[in-house]
Amino acid sequence: MGAPRDPDGAIAVLREAVAAGVNHIDTSDFYGPHVTNQIIRQALHPYPKGLVIVTKLGGRRPPDKSWQPATSREELIAGVHDNLRNLGVDALDIVNYRFMGSGHGLGEGSIAEQVTVLAELREKGLIRHIGLSSVTAAQVAEAQAITDVVCVQNNYNLAHRDDDLLIDDLARQGIPYVPFFPLGGFSPLQSSTLSAVAGRLEATPMQVALAWLLHRSPNILLIPGTSSLAHLRENLAAGRLTLSSQALAELDGIARAAAVV
């Protein structure tokens, strides 16, 4: 909520990320609200060719800083226009419909009405592609009966692996899976196993956690958030780490241990 403590630093992070070859930025106009998209526009507009900005709809952030659904036809249409205005574009590359289940967790319920609205907005040229966030496999299938789904963004990391089957199914379909909270989110990943593997590789635990995701499946795209250039560079370096079969087996055991607890 609100503006970052260091707006100039945020702009520097965005510019260095793109200069380093990052071509996928995850955002939403309800981050801030509005502030994040305005900073992206200030830092990068006019946007370089090949940069894909993925935003999301389905929620709002009132002054009390809570997360509230914004799922009516009117709210979705207004949200698209907010994103267009604050990003300074005529069409949004990808819009994820975020199902507001239990906080950041999943929930059952139809998303047909909301996906249909987004499909109509795509037909009007305001959206190029449609994705989903915080959804179950059943909700993915429901959306695919209405329109093409180009990506799915759910909570997934070394210790939170409920989506293993979904990731594999999406990979067979050639659909990217984008894990949010790849480093644990509000509860950063902590594991003696993770630290031990990182020590052997002379890397940080967070770099190893990101590298594991890249090894997990070829359809995984990473969106680790950061507010500092140092952490941005660390995150990018994770893509150069190679994990042995032994290291992968050790890391895979973290989720099993968490499930026992």
Side-chain angles (χ1 to χ4, degrees), residues 10-259:
I11 289 172
V13 166
L14 284 162
R15 289 176 175 168
E16 179 160 326
V18 171
V22 171
N23 61 4
H24 170 202
I25 293 177
D26 175 73
T27 186
S28 174
D29 209 58
F30 57 68
Y31 293 161
H34 313 304
V35 171
T36 298
N37 280 351
Q38 291 166 355
I39 290 176
I40 291 171
R41 179 177 184 175
Q42 183 180 353
L44 302 175
H45 195 278
Y47 301 111
K49 184 178 180 180
L51 178 66
V52 176
I53 299 177
V54 183
T55 189
K56 63 183 69 65
L57 300 174
R60 62 185 179 87
R61 302 296 304 279
D64 66 2
K65 301 183 180 182
S66 63
W67 293 83
Q68 299 296 327
T71 61
S72 70
R73 179 182 185 86
E74 294 74 21
E75 287 172 316
L76 294 172
I77 293 172
V80 164
H81 286 282
D82 283 344
N83 278 273
L84 291 169
R85 180 179 60 256
N86 286 310
L87 287 170
V89 294
D90 297 323
L92 301 171
D93 293 328
I94 301 175
V95 172
N96 287 335
Y97 172 64
R98 188 197 192 288
F99 184 73
M100 297 292 285
S102 56
H104 292 286
L106 303 181
E108 298 299 334
S110 174
I111 60 173
E113 180 181 349
Q114 291 76 24
V115 172
T116 298
V117 173
L118 295 185
E120 292 171 359
L121 293 171
R122 187 184 62 183
E123 290 299 315
K124 293 180 179 180
L126 299 179
I127 296 172
R128 295 191 177 96
H129 302 284
I130 295 169
L132 303 171
S133 179
S134 292
V135 288
T136 65
Q139 289 164 336
V140 173
E142 181 184 38
Q144 288 178 312
I146 299 168
T147 188
D148 291 335
V149 172
V150 300
C151 61
V152 173
Q153 184 187 106
N154 278 2
N155 181 7
Y156 183 84
N157 54 53
L158 261 175
H160 188 281
R161 298 186 54 177
D162 292 348
D163 270 359
D164 274 336
L165 293 178
L166 178 59
I167 289 172
D168 294 339
D169 184 53
L170 293 172
R172 287 188 287 270
Q173 299 179 60
I175 298 174
Y177 180 92
V178 186
F180 69 76
F181 291 165
L183 300 177
F186 301 121
S187 301
L189 296 173
Q190 294 183 349
S191 162
S192 57
T193 299
L194 178 59
S195 296
V197 172
R200 296 200 303 267
L201 293 172
E202 297 183 348
T204 69
M206 297 301 97
Q207 285 176 315
V208 173
L210 294 175
W212 177 85
L213 286 166
L214 293 174
H215 282 71
R216 168 62 182 82
S217 182
N219 66 324
I220 285 184
L221 303 178
L222 296 185
I223 53 168
T226 182
S227 59
S228 78
L229 290 173
H231 287 157
L232 170 67
R233 293 162 187 162
E234 285 184 5
N235 290 342
L236 293 174
R240 298 191 291 271
L241 285 180
T242 299
L243 302 179
S244 67
S245 57
Q246 176 186 342
L248 289 171
E250 292 178 56
L251 295 170
D252 285 341
I254 291 175
R256 290 192 295 271

